[in-house]
Amino acid sequence: MPAKHFSNEQLADTFNLIADLLEIKGEVIYKVLAYRKAAESLAELNQDAYDIWQAGKLTDIPGVGKAIAEKIDELFSTGKLGFMEKLTAEMPVSLAEMLQVPDLGPKKIGLFWKELGITSISELETAARAGKLRTLPGMGEKSEARILAGIEAYKRRSERIPIGQAYPFAQRLIASLRQAPGVVTVEMAGSLRRGRITVGDIDILAAATDSTAIMDRFLSDREVVRVEGKGDTKSSVEYAHGLRAQLWVHPPERFGTAWQYATGSKEHNVRLRELALKQNLSLSEHALTRPDGSEILCATEDEVYAALGLPFIPPELREDRGEIQAALLGKLPKLIELQDIQSELHAHTTWSDGHLSIQELAEAARDRGRKLIVVSDHSASLAITGGLTAQDVQKQRQEIQHAQKSLGDSIVILQGIEVEVRADGSLDFPDEVLAELDIVTASVHTSLRQPRQQITERMLKAIQNPHVDIIGHPTGRMLPNREGADLDLEAVMKAALENQVALEINAHPARLDLDDVNARHFAEMGGLLTINTDAHSASDLDLMHFGVTVARRGWVEASSVINTWKIPKLLEWLKRKHPHF
Ligand code: DGT
Ligand code: CA
Ligand code: ZN
């Protein structure tokens, strides 16, 4: 019979699901607890259960008795579990999902199922709205309303929050938590630390010898609208707009292990655990454990990775996209950092829809450490922005020269344009004007819904123009809801490479376009990228880090990003399409 390999986590998930279903069904509690205990023990096990099975020693696993050992054996030898199949034929798995609704327990779920045939959250919502729950034993109007409120909370929490909203919120929260007495460290974890463009919730990790003060501060924050759970080591709360945060507190000597775990991703952690198992180590939320039960305490993440024979893996890479393999081979990229950014190549002024004058923009960029700023206002056909006509270009040049004089050599100001790619692929300005400008970004803002072939050809035409240096926010997506154009990005990237056109990673959190996966692909092809904020105000210039994070998630090194280059190198590059340099 063919043997099938289930991981310890998969086994644990299976037994937890069985326990959930049995509890809803009303099974005697000791049976339920037996499955839970087995699940917990499997999840924490410092050895692959598969190997133990092959050695015929399943019942040596704590919490695994004869009945559960038989089930594990059946899973490994047949890939199936008859008991589970029978159970799910009787009661759908969606019943267990109902346990996710706050304040809804197995007894009530069982009641609704048996009395009203309710098997899912949406059926429960319909019944509650129709007032059908209040008549059941032990129920009333109040408890019915509480269930509806729980469903609302559940729905809110399954919506993902954009990074542009979650990140600044988390920054403020962390700054506040750091002031709690007795706190050693407070850091971001989870998907927010990995830089995903949306997050399910904000995970925060703290090191403290006594968690009381920081937990109090977390729970009593005046922005908290609901406490979802509270404990000494872990609490979670909800704020307005469905934003949720979870705080985990660990002793400083375990902080590295805990931070690594809470940063995820789950998929990365699963791979890391597999690697640990191969080395006879067990990696859990709290510690690395040797076979004899002794622990390797890691105060830092460096120590966790080092104990497994790996260099530190930056959080943005921890998505199980080949990073552990690369780390094992010593081939991790040297990721771009915010400090590498020298120039801002895409920003607007009052010459179109920006809020700053040229001088104010240049000062704001200089104050943020930029060595060069491009004034890249919209061209006229994007009428709502009040953009530049070809005739305006000379006048604007004079103002730039004036500002340059007054700012001296503290920052270089270049004259660019964000030229509109019209629906037919032609550009808003004649070639002579584009050549005279210092740098040209071509962007699509209208007719984004053209069919794939048409919009791809339109983009290729823009890329082939002899004076275009950059394609701005290439797909035109707007987060969270507007999809990008249906572009053949492979063709766009190929053309950009051939024509020495850089593709932008627009750093504005509403765009983040190109995305991480495409940025990685293009950089691996040998393409050039640029990361810009598309600033319309001074504070927009502070959004650069979002774009850098996308690039880091795309394994991008600084050398691929033209605005990390020193100014002479950048100007030399611009010369190929703008001979006046
Ligand atoms: P999110 O919140 O949906 O954007 O995504 P994450 O990655 O922040 O995930 P979350 O908040 O559910 O959990 C935080 C971290 O905890 C996650 O990144 C890794 C760790 N974690 C959670 N559940 C598991 C698990 O079942 N196994 C392992 N190995 N790690 C887990
Ligand atoms: Ca999270
Ligand atoms: Zn722009």
Side-chain angles (χ1 to χ4, degrees):
M1 222 176 292
K4 180 148 175 1
H5 193 157
F6 290 91
S7 70
N8 291 2
E9 293 219 346
Q10 286 172 314
L11 294 175
D13 287 348
T14 305
F15 291 129
N16 268 324
L17 179 58
I18 291 177
D20 287 345
L21 290 171
L22 290 181
E23 203 171 357
I24 291 167
K25 196 177 164 187
E27 186 60 84
V28 285
I29 197 67
Y30 77 84
K31 280 201 184 171
V32 174
L33 290 179
Y35 283 105
R36 292 223 193 281
K37 194 150 168 261
E40 192 178 328
S41 155
L42 283 161
E44 305 250 291
L45 200 60
N46 61 5
Q47 209 188 334
D48 205 341
Y50 188 83
D51 297 337
I52 304 178
W53 169 70
Q54 284 189 319
K57 293 191 165 159
L58 281 177
T59 47
D60 286 2
I61 302 173
V64 173
K66 197 165 152 284
I68 287 177
E70 278 169 8
K71 293 192 173 66
I72 298 175
D73 175 59
E74 188 186 339
L75 275 165
F76 281 142
S77 36
T78 70
K80 293 192 211 151
L81 187 54
F83 179 75
M84 182 70 151
E85 286 175 6
K86 223 176 105 211
L87 195 60
T88 52
E90 206 180 310
M91 49 194 304
V93 174
S94 54
L95 279 167
E97 206 182 302
M98 292 168 75
L99 287 166
Q100 303 286 321
V101 176
D103 302 327
L104 186 59
K107 282 217 174 70
K108 285 266 151 34
I109 298 172
L111 175 75
F112 303 148
W113 171 48
K114 286 170 194 161
E115 296 296 322
L116 301 172
I118 289 169
T119 59
S120 68
I121 296 170
S122 67
E123 285 171 15
L124 180 66
E125 184 176 4
T126 311
R129 293 208 185 283
K132 287 185 181 156
L133 306 183
R134 63 183 72 165
T135 56
L136 295 175
M139 290 289 297
E141 263 180 62
K142 257 199 189 148
S143 44
E144 189 179 69
R146 204 161 48 238
I147 282 173
L148 270 175
I151 293 174
E152 287 304 322
Y154 169 82
K155 286 206 286 198
R156 276 200 306 277
R157 78 159 71 150
S158 39
E159 271 169 30
R160 302 185 61 82
I161 310 286
I163 190 172
Q165 184 187 343
Y167 189 86
F169 187 91
Q171 293 282 72
R172 286 196 300 277
L173 183 57
I174 287 172
S176 151
L177 294 175
R178 282 188 177 143
Q179 286 167 19
V183 168
V184 183
T185 321
V186 186
E187 295 288 352
M188 213 177 263
S191 51
L192 196 55
R193 181 172 180 228
R194 303 197 310 278
R196 283 196 60 183
I197 58 171
T198 63
V199 304
D201 64 359
I202 295 170
D203 299 288
I204 295 175
L205 210 73
T209 38
D210 178 1
S211 67
T212 322
I214 185 167
M215 276 300 177
D216 277 355
R217 202 176 174 95
F218 180 65
L219 294 168
S220 60
D221 187 292
R222 61 188 166 78
E223 291 195 65
V224 169
V225 296
R226 228 165 70 88
V227 173
E228 293 193 333
K230 74 178 163 190
D232 291 339
T233 58
K234 186 171 151 187
S235 295
S236 40
V237 299
E238 187 177 327
Y239 309 94
H241 311 296
L243 201 60
R244 290 177 310 123
Q246 146 154 248
L247 172 67
W248 332 34
V249 185
H250 290 271
E253 65 274 18
R254 294 177 187 278
F255 185 76
T257 328
W259 197 18
Q260 194 289 319
Y261 176 89
T263 296
S265 68
K266 186 173 173 189
E267 292 73 17
H268 173 88
N269 286 355
V270 166
R271 290 256 175 261
L272 211 59
R273 263 182 77 117
E274 284 169 7
L275 188 70
L277 287 176
K278 279 195 207 137
Q279 302 173 17
N280 272 322
L281 294 170
S282 143
L283 178 59
S284 78
E285 184 176 345
H286 307 284
L288 267 165
T289 316
R290 299 187 192 89
D292 65 5
S294 64
E295 289 184 6
I296 308 172
L297 295 179
C298 302
T300 67
E301 283 190 321
D302 274 315
E303 294 169 61
V304 179
Y305 286 101
L308 300 172
L310 297 173
F312 177 80
I313 301 180
E316 296 91 337
L317 298 185
R318 301 181 197 168
E319 297 289 350
D320 189 22
R321 294 178 181 164
E323 69 280 7
I324 292 179
Q325 193 58 21
L328 284 168
L329 297 172
K331 291 197 169 150
L332 284 176
K334 189 185 174 312
L335 294 181
I336 181 173
E337 292 175 19
L338 184 58
Q339 297 91 286
D340 293 326
I341 300 288
Q342 303 280 319
S343 314
E344 169 69 66
L345 306 184
H346 184 169
H348 298 267
T349 69
T350 48
W351 282 83
S352 64
D353 58 352
H355 301 305
L356 303 176
S357 68
I358 290 172
Q359 169 119 8
E360 288 165 341
L361 173 68
E363 283 169 356
R366 178 202 59 195
D367 294 348
R368 286 160 176 81
R370 305 286 172 260
K371 304 282 188 290
L372 180 147
I373 174 90
V374 173
V375 175
S376 63
D377 279 299
H378 291 285
S379 63
S381 82
L382 197 61
I384 49 163
T385 66
L388 262 71
T389 63
Q391 289 74 41
D392 291 331
V393 169
Q394 273 317 315
K395 264 198 296 176
Q396 196 198 43
R397 173 74 82 175
Q398 282 167 14
E399 191 180 322
I400 288 176
Q401 281 164 351
H402 186 78
Q404 182 71 77
K405 213 179 254 167
S406 94
L407 287 169
D409 55 11
S410 64
I411 185 162
V412 174
I413 314 174
L414 294 188
Q415 188 182 26
I417 192 80
E418 183 174 17
V419 69
E420 208 47 35
V421 181
R422 298 183 188 133
D424 64 359
S426 65
L427 301 181
D428 230 6
F429 282 4
D431 282 1
E432 312 84 76
V433 179
L434 296 177
E436 276 170 25
L437 289 160
D438 297 329
I439 178 167
V440 173
T441 292
S443 301
V444 170
H445 291 100
T446 55
S447 307
L448 276 168
R449 295 289 157 250
Q450 289 173 334
R452 185 175 177 88
Q453 198 188 344
Q454 190 182 1
I455 196 156
T456 301
E457 278 170 14
R458 175 181 174 196
M459 193 61 103
L460 296 187
K461 207 167 150 193
I463 290 171
Q464 285 153 4
N465 177 289
H467 307 294
V468 167
D469 304 289
I470 296 170
I471 297 295
H473 44 71
T475 78
R477 78 162 172 193
M478 289 295 253
L479 299 169
N481 292 325
R482 191 175 89 189
E483 293 273 321
D486 185 14
L487 277 173
D488 177 354
L489 276 175
E490 199 63 43
V492 168
M493 290 182 192
K494 205 165 144 270
L497 191 61
E498 281 167 7
N499 291 277
Q500 298 187 57
V501 168
L503 298 182
E504 183 180 71
I505 296 175
N506 191 291
H508 196 287
R511 291 201 181 269
L512 302 177
D513 174 21
L514 288 181
D515 67 15
D516 51 356
V517 173
N518 286 307
R520 178 173 177 183
H521 185 56
F522 189 52
E524 282 174 359
M525 284 166 69
L528 293 174
L529 295 158
T530 172
I531 308 173
N532 299 306
T533 67
D534 200 349
H536 288 68
S537 67
S539 60
D540 281 355
L541 291 167
D542 297 325
L543 302 172
M544 185 63 87
H545 68 97
F546 288 117
V548 172
T549 297
V550 170
R552 289 172 63 85
R553 288 177 58 82
W555 296 50
V556 171
E557 305 196 350
S559 55
S560 306
V561 179
I562 62 172
N563 52 320
T564 67
W565 295 351
K566 295 275 184 272
I567 295 174
K569 182 173 175 185
L570 180 66
L571 300 184
E572 187 57 37
W573 185 73
L574 291 173
K575 199 170 179 171
R576 83 216 181 291
K577 296 191 180 185
H578 307 274
H580 61 274
F581 279 110

